[in-house]
Amino acid sequence: MTATVTTKGQVTIPKPVRDMLGITAGSKVDFRRAADGSVILIRVDGKPPASRFERLRGHSGKGLGTDAIMALTRGET
């Protein structure tokens, strides 16, 4: 992934990287230099990013209740 540095020295972190690290608006990050000279981006809060399943939790939306689903399965209308 490639990003362009603006005249102000700003870079947009690519969405796949933000998603992987769990970085959202207001998140604090740190840049560290590794022994091999590469730069590592780290979330400052140290929290592990939510798993893909945790991010989906509670997002089924409004829908049919259990009774309505059971009625549909039984062929009751």
Side-chain angles (χ1 to χ4, degrees), residues 5 9-10 29-30 33-34 42 44 47 50-51 61 72 75:
V5 179
Q10 299 170 330
V29 296
D30 188 21
R33 188 168 185 167
I42 301 169
V44 173
K47 294 179 186 175
S51 74
L72 284 172

Side-chain angles (χ1 to χ4, degrees), residues 4-75:
T4 303
V5 179
T6 68
T7 56
K8 292 183 176 182
Q10 299 170 330
V11 176
T12 299
I13 301 169
K15 183 164 178 16
V17 175
R18 293 191 317 263
D19 291 345
M20 179 179 63
L21 296 175
I23 296 172
T24 57
S27 294
K28 297 204 180 278
V29 296
D30 188 21
F31 299 92
R32 296 190 184 160
R33 188 168 185 167
D36 66 357
S38 62
V39 177
I40 301 169
L41 174 67
I42 301 169
R43 283 177 52 173
V44 173
D45 62 10
K47 294 179 186 175
S51 74
R52 61 184 168 165
F53 301 108
E54 287 177 291
R55 288 194 305 264
L56 294 173
R57 183 177 291 161
H59 287 274
S60 64
K62 303 250 186 231
L64 300 174
T66 306
D67 292 334
I69 293 171
M70 292 305 294
L72 284 172
T73 353
R74 293 181 183 128

